[in-house]
Amino acid sequence: MATHIATDDSVELIDLSIVVPAYRSEKTLAALVDAIDAAIGGRYSLELILVNDRSPDGSWQVASTLARTHSWVRALNLRKNVGQHMAIFAGLRECRGRVIVTMDDDLQHAPSDIPALVDALDDGHDVCYGTFVGRKHAAWKILGSRFNDRVATWLLEKPKGLYLSPFKAMKRGVRDEVVMFRGPAIYLDGLILAATSRITTRVVGHHAREDGTSGYSLKKSISLWLKMATSFSVAPLRMASLTGMAISGAGFIFAAVIVIHKLLDPGVAVGWSSLIVAILIMGGVQLLALGAIGEYVGRILLNFTTPTQYSIAERVDSTADTLP
C-alpha cells in the first residue's frame, strides 16, 4: 500500500475504501462482498461503501443487512435517484481511505484486479484506470463509449488511448479535490482530469453480468454526455460560433455570386429557392447556437437554484443505524 498519500487530520484514515453505487443489484451485492473479501483479505485495512441510488428493488435491504453483518461494510441510502456519478460522489465524501477504488455493482469488474490498480499508484501516479479486455457490453454501448472517448479527448484534453473506465483507483489527494465540487451536474472523470495529469492504466478483465441488465439506457448515456460537454468546456459554444461564421461567410459569397450573375445577365430572375435556402441555413445556425447557449444558461441556473446535490436518508454500519 502506498504510504505517501495525502492525509486528512480530521479523519482516522485506513488503507483502502471501495465505493460501489447500487441500483437493481439485490442479487449481486452479497456475491460482490464475498468476492472483495476473498480478493483483499487482510492485505489492507478496508471499508466498502455501498450507495443505494434509490433502487426500486430490494438493493437497500440487502446492502443494509451486509453492513450490519460485516464490520468493514457501510451502506448509504439516498432519498432519490441521482445517477451513477452522483451516487459515487456521495460515497467519495464518506470514505476514509488513503486510496479509493470505484467499481460497479454487477461483478463485471473483478475484485481480484483491485490490488493491481492500487499498486500502480506507488509509481508516482495519482489515478489508475482499469482498461478492459473483451468488453461484455451491448454493441450500441461500445460504439457510444468510443464516441464519448473521442469527444472527451477533444473537450477535456484527455490523453489519447486513456479509456475513462468506472473501475479506477485514486489517491486521497485527488478525492479531496473532486469532492470540493458543488455543482448539480456531476461528471467524475472531468473532475479527475481537472485535478491531475498523473494518470496511468492497468489491463483488467471484463466479465458478463451476474444478473439483470445495465441500468444505463440510451437516454441516460446522452444525459451524461451532455454533462461532460457543457460542464467542463466551452468548446460547444465555440463550435456554434465558428459554424455560424462559416455558414454566414458562405451565405455572403452565395449572395455576391447571385448579384454578379444578375448584373451580367439582367434577364435572370432571382427565384424563391435561393431565398428559402438562405433562410433555412441561417435559421438552423441560429437554433444551433441558441441551443448551445441554452445548455450553458441552464447549468448556471441549476448551480444557483438546486438546493442540494443529493440527500442521504440512512447510514448503516455494523455498530448502529444513524440518520445524517
Side-chain angles (χ1 to χ4, degrees):
M1 172 60 62
T3 58
H4 52 276
I5 302 170
T7 60
D8 184 345
D9 294 336
S10 64
V11 177
E12 183 180 351
L13 298 183
I14 59 176
D15 290 334
L16 178 64
S17 294
I18 303 174
V19 178
V20 177
Y23 188 79
R24 295 187 183 276
S25 53
E26 62 175 326
K27 296 181 180 180
T28 60
L29 288 180
L32 176 64
V33 168
D34 290 341
I36 291 174
D37 191 22
I40 304 301
R43 183 168 180 173
Y44 314 123
S45 55
L46 169 70
E47 69 174 358
L48 169 64
I49 301 178
L50 301 174
V51 184
N52 180 51
D53 191 18
R54 197 61 180 175
S55 179
D57 63 359
S59 294
W60 172 243
Q61 288 74 19
V62 174
S64 58
T65 298
L66 291 168
R68 292 188 182 97
T69 56
H70 295 74
S71 61
W72 50 279
V73 178
R74 300 161 62 197
L76 306 179
N77 190 26
L78 302 184
R79 297 184 188 276
K80 62 179 293 186
N81 180 267
V82 294
Q84 181 190 42
H85 283 234
M86 187 65 82
I88 295 174
F89 191 77
L92 290 178
R93 282 213 173 115
E94 300 282 326
C95 65
R96 299 173 292 145
R98 295 184 177 89
V99 168
I100 299 93
V101 169
T102 67
M103 62 188 304
D104 288 347
D105 57 354
D106 52 16
L107 291 172
Q108 288 192 283
H109 303 161
S112 58
D113 288 321
I114 290 176
L117 300 182
V118 174
D119 291 344
L121 302 184
D122 282 330
D123 297 328
H125 299 103
D126 291 326
V127 181
C128 180
Y129 281 89
T131 299
F132 299 130
V133 175
R135 292 174 61 191
K136 307 299 182 181
H137 287 146
W140 71 266
K141 194 169 184 180
I142 293 176
L143 290 175
S145 294
R146 289 176 181 173
F147 172 75
N148 184 77
D149 179 77
R150 293 186 179 182
V151 174
T153 301
W154 172 48
L155 295 179
L156 305 180
E157 299 181 357
K158 178 184 71 67
K160 291 183 178 180
L162 173 62
Y163 173 62
L164 299 178
S165 162
F167 191 22
K168 51 184 170 283
M170 69 183 80
K171 291 182 179 178
R172 188 171 185 85
V174 175
R175 171 265 183 196
D176 291 343
E177 293 290 332
V178 167
V179 299
M180 291 174 63
F181 184 74
R182 292 295 184 269
I186 290 288
Y187 184 69
L188 281 175
D189 296 306
L191 295 173
I192 290 172
L193 290 171
T196 182
S197 60
R198 300 194 302 179
I199 299 174
T200 189
T201 62
R202 289 294 183 273
V203 175
V204 298
H206 196 253
H207 307 274
R209 293 179 63 92
E210 290 291 317
D211 180 75
T213 58
S214 173
Y216 257 110
S217 63
L218 179 60
K219 179 181 178 181
K220 290 183 178 180
S221 297
I222 293 174
S223 174
L224 182 64
W225 183 86
L226 286 174
K227 289 177 183 178
M228 176 193 69
T230 59
S231 296
F232 297 93
S233 174
V234 296
L237 284 177
R238 291 174 180 168
M239 182 176 66
S241 298
L242 292 174
T243 302
M245 292 172 61
I247 295 181
S248 295
F252 281 117
I253 295 173
F254 182 62
V257 170
I258 292 175
V259 170
I260 294 172
H261 194 188
K262 179 67 174 178
L263 292 174
L264 295 176
D265 186 2
V268 175
V270 179
W272 282 101
S273 57
S274 59
L275 178 61
I276 294 301
V277 168
I279 291 175
L280 290 177
I281 290 176
M282 295 307 299
V285 172
Q286 289 171 350
L287 289 176
L288 174 66
L290 286 174
I293 294 171
E295 282 288 333
Y296 283 91
V297 172
R299 300 293 181 200
I300 294 171
L301 177 65
L302 289 175
N303 281 334
F304 282 100
T305 60
T306 303
T308 182
Q309 295 173 309
Y310 57 86
S311 178
I312 299 176
E314 300 171 81
R315 291 179 174 86
V316 176
D317 58 31
S318 61
T319 59
D321 297 1
T322 60
L323 292 176

